[in-house]
Amino acid sequence: MAAVRQIQVTFDCAEPERVAQFWCAVLGYEQQGSSAVDPSGVGPRLYFQPVPEDKVVKNRVHLDVRVGTGLVGEERVAALEAECARLAPLGAVRVQLLRADEVNESCLVMQDIEGNEFCLD
């Protein structure tokens, strides 16, 4: 069996091009209509498809935006907070800082412009 080489992450949303524009600004991707594409070709393509219904419950799958990789403690939290401050003017909403415990490092839960959860990790 051949190995899968590429994936696409698809989001249901009300305003696909607006949400694609948001995620392009978050990730440094390029917008292609209602898609966000990594210009280096390394990251997954994000596709935003229109649906008539509103989001009702928490996502079962979410993106982690890796801004604190290799950092620990307060240095990691500072990196998460700095990225949160960058994303808020784009329309992102801060939900909750989850502090490190015995298993996980700190992460910051946020929502995009249509309420889809994602983490700054």
Side-chain angles (χ1 to χ4, degrees):
M1 179 184 335
V4 174
R5 299 286 182 219
Q6 295 182 352
I7 66 163
Q8 170 176 284
V9 180
T10 301
F11 292 76
D12 291 349
C13 57
E15 298 180 67
E17 289 191 11
R18 181 172 170 253
V19 181
Q21 182 178 24
F22 170 83
W23 281 102
C24 285
V26 170
L27 300 173
Y29 275 26
E30 295 174 353
Q31 188 170 352
Q32 294 178 356
S34 57
S35 296
V37 179
D38 181 356
S40 72
V42 175
R45 178 178 190 258
L46 306 181
Y47 175 67
F48 304 92
Q49 67 183 4
V51 295
E53 67 275 359
D54 291 333
K55 181 179 179 292
V56 186
V57 297
K58 181 179 179 284
N59 307 17
R60 294 280 312 245
V61 175
H62 68 270
L63 298 181
D64 284 347
V65 179
R66 309 292 311 274
V67 298
T69 303
L71 303 175
V72 296
E74 290 308 310
E75 185 179 17
R76 181 182 179 89
V77 172
L80 302 177
E81 295 290 359
E83 185 67 1
C84 178
R86 183 183 78 85
L87 300 182
L90 301 175
V93 175
R94 177 194 180 100
V95 176
Q96 179 181 15
L97 175 65
L98 301 173
R99 291 271 182 186
D101 58 24
E102 303 80 37
V103 178
N104 299 301
E105 277 296 336
S106 297
C107 71
L108 183 53
V109 180
M110 300 193 71
Q111 292 178 333
D112 73 10
I113 58 175
E114 286 201 2
N116 297 301
E117 296 85 9
F118 68 97
C119 291
L120 298 179
D121 178 40

